[in-house]
Amino acid sequence: MEYAVKTVCVVGLGYIGLPTAATLASRGVEVIGVDVNPQVVEAVNAGQPYFSEPDLDMLLRAATTLRKLRAALQPEPADAFLIAVPTPFNEDRSPNLDFIDMAADAVAPCLASGNVVILESTSPVGTTERLASRLARLRPDLRFPPERHLEPLDVHVAHCPERVLPGRMVRELIENDRIIGGMTEACAEHAAAVYSIFLQGKLFHTDAPTAELVKLVENAYRDVNIAFANELSLICADLGLNVWNVIELANRHPRVSILQPGAGVGGHCIAVDPWFIIAAAPERTPLIRTAREVNDAKPKFIVAQIRERAGRFKRPVVACLGLTYKPDVDDTRESPALAIVRQLAGAGKERVLVADPNLRALPRELAAFPNVSFCDTFEAVRSADIVALLVAHSRFRKIPREELMRRVVIDATGLTHTQG
Ligand code: SAJ
């Protein structure tokens, strides 16, 4: 059955909500984008993305030129509501669902019979049901799932976790397959009508808790695989072997596909989501927990490597190349490279030159350290005794090999390996 979706209210104009809102608007849907931050609302209404993501500016310009996307501080009535707010963890690593609760409270007064509410935020198992119950409490005049006996429902609720990779979002948003976890089959069908507007990938229907766990499992799988690579990097360092060479050759086996070691695992997804599984089943997750610990320990290992080499110099100058959480993005959230520079800065034993072609200046927390300064890449390399390659930005491939060969190089990225 087809459901007409003419207006969509997207709550949360962050890394996921904004590209999704702009994509829907570019397909002719009337989109109201909602954010609690007035600066975000202003930027979006001016057609300007406030973070960098390839092709997002073009998409947003198209959406605002067509006058299909409008940003506001509060939700407005619509056919569909899409919630894409952050789900961080608390200090004890238990999931924090405050933003989802706030979004539910803001959306509830706008709901009407025939609406669908879709939760896109990565969430622990049970969150979609919790959202539906909260909405049902706030709107006793409407029928919500999971009360199957109340079918036909007034408001349908589903979980459709986002899957896009920062740096390739605009393409992946359209091309990736999506999982739709409906609280009932009718809920999944209503949600599917929204994604069918722009999706080229396939839609797979399931129930809400399965969809919730699938999303967490995807990121935990990647975390465990990267932890394996990071553990190999420690073993290879002890054995004096080149880990990238070992992995490249092992991956020639048709059933082996090891990911790459690095400075650690950063970002707001892979370093966070596995904890939601651990919190739900603490006794059943020794592997997932250990993987998290292995990845979290990697920056400390790199700092120790730098320190050990720095001991040879009287007043060592260390060039730290890369500060973002992964290559070719400008996002430093949970960045292992940032953690490494933070540790070096705090100890104050070395002069640290930071270069990152994707950033304009040092983040505020580093700017206060007298021993840390922001530099152009080549200048940093030329002035350094030790070069620590922390993020595999494509620009770093252009560093002349002979410049590196004259210095002590600590390569957490494999860039010097692929250069060879
Ligand atoms: N990393 C490695 N080695 C690798 C791959 C990545 O050390 O071989 C590191 C990166 O440098 C970075 C971290 O892992 O620090 C995470 O980077 P990523 O590119 O693997 O993932 P994210 O966090 O940018 O996006 C992930 C994606 N999930 C999966 O690939 C399973 C994305 O599809 C999700 O939508 C996103 O999380 C999310 O929002 O959950």
Side-chain angles (χ1 to χ4, degrees):
M1 192 169 160
E2 284 293 310
Y3 303 99
V5 182
K6 295 207 172 79
T7 52
V8 177
C9 181
V10 177
V11 183
L13 293 177
Y15 286 78
I16 300 303
L18 183 56
T20 309
T23 301
L24 280 163
S26 71
R27 299 292 195 277
V29 176
E30 300 284 341
V31 181
I32 304 125
V34 179
D35 204 283
V36 288
N37 184 341
Q39 282 162 349
V40 168
V41 170
E42 203 180 307
V44 173
N45 279 331
Q48 285 159 3
Y50 64 96
F51 57 90
S52 79
E53 176 62 34
D55 299 330
L56 181 60
D57 51 345
M58 201 180 67
L59 194 66
L60 193 57
R61 219 175 310 124
T64 43
T65 309
L66 287 168
R67 293 183 192 283
K68 291 289 181 188
L69 171 61
R70 185 166 50 81
L73 287 165
Q74 285 295 330
E76 294 176 20
D79 298 319
F81 292 82
L82 216 149
I83 298 176
V85 294
T87 40
F89 54 54
N90 298 311
E91 238 164 65
D92 66 353
R93 293 193 172 119
S94 62
N96 178 335
L97 304 179
D98 292 351
F99 294 110
I100 296 182
D101 289 348
M102 284 194 277
D105 296 352
V107 158
C110 302
L111 292 176
S113 186
N115 283 170
V116 56
V117 178
I118 303 166
L119 178 64
E120 278 218 9
S121 311
T122 305
S123 303
V125 175
T127 309
T128 311
E129 186 164 350
R130 188 175 176 277
L131 168 69
S133 316
R134 193 173 180 99
L135 293 172
R137 270 200 310 278
L138 292 164
R139 291 297 302 271
D141 54 317
L142 297 169
R143 284 166 302 183
F144 288 84
E147 316 306 336
R148 279 164 208 278
H149 62 277
L150 292 182
E151 295 263 19
L153 297 164
D154 286 315
V155 179
H156 293 86
V157 183
H159 179 53
C160 183
E162 60 83 13
R163 284 181 143 176
V164 290
L165 193 72
R168 292 170 45 162
M169 282 187 176
V170 171
R171 231 181 71 201
E172 290 206 356
L173 196 61
I174 295 167
E175 291 178 359
N176 288 1
D177 293 344
R178 300 281 299 239
I179 311 297
I180 299 214
M183 288 193 64
T184 64
E185 185 45 40
C187 289
E189 278 167 22
H190 273 76
V194 176
Y195 294 99
S196 306
I197 295 168
F198 62 86
L199 200 78
Q200 287 168 11
K202 290 196 186 94
L203 277 169
F204 292 88
H205 291 206
T206 183
D207 55 72
T210 302
E212 286 161 344
L213 188 60
V214 167
K215 166 68 195 192
L216 301 178
V217 162
E218 289 164 6
N219 281 351
Y221 163 78
R222 200 159 165 85
D223 198 42
V224 171
N225 195 330
I226 297 168
F228 183 67
N230 276 330
E231 189 161 292
L232 289 180
S233 75
L234 307 188
I235 297 166
C236 286
D238 286 354
L239 297 177
L241 297 176
N242 180 321
V243 67
W244 287 280
N245 198 15
V246 169
I247 291 176
E248 195 174 293
L249 293 174
N251 282 350
R252 303 301 299 177
H253 186 289
R255 284 174 296 283
V256 175
S257 181
I258 306 166
L259 290 174
Q260 299 299 303
V265 168
H268 33 283
C269 309
I270 296 195
V272 175
D273 300 353
W275 289 112
F276 292 178
I277 307 181
I278 299 166
E283 304 298 323
R284 301 283 187 212
T285 41
L287 179 65
I288 298 175
R289 177 187 291 275
T290 304
R292 272 291 60 248
E293 287 164 357
V294 167
N295 287 332
D296 274 352
K298 192 69 195 286
K300 221 169 149 193
F301 174 78
I302 309 280
V303 170
Q305 277 190 320
I306 295 173
R307 282 274 153 71
E308 205 231 310
R309 304 294 182 87
R312 292 191 213 159
F313 299 90
K314 245 193 182 158
R315 303 173 92 195
V317 179
V318 182
C320 288
L321 304 189
L323 207 56
T324 58
Y325 89 88
K326 69 173 187 176
D328 301 329
V329 298
D330 66 353
D331 192 341
T332 55
R333 284 178 294 173
E334 313 291 328
S335 164
L338 181 58
I340 290 166
V341 175
R342 202 185 285 129
Q343 284 183 46
L344 294 174
K349 289 187 184 142
E350 300 86 13
R351 218 179 111 214
V352 183
L353 308 176
V354 177
D356 194 310
N358 296 310
L359 300 177
R360 285 204 202 105
L362 281 182
R364 207 176 298 157
E365 62 160 306
L366 291 179
F369 290 96
N371 56 328
V372 183
S373 43
F374 196 69
C375 257
D376 160 77
T377 303
F378 298 117
E379 193 189 323
V381 171
R382 263 183 251 122
S383 319
D385 302 308
I386 298 172
V387 176
L389 275 155
L390 303 180
V391 186
H393 290 313
S394 355
R395 279 275 295 283
F396 295 159
R397 289 180 198 278
K398 299 208 174 93
I399 302 170
R401 212 170 167 75
E402 47 301 350
E403 287 287 347
L404 289 176
M405 277 161 68
R406 275 191 229 131
R407 290 167 176 92
V408 175
V409 175
I410 293 164
D411 184 4
T413 65
L415 272 178
T416 53
H417 170 66
T418 46
Q419 257 185 358

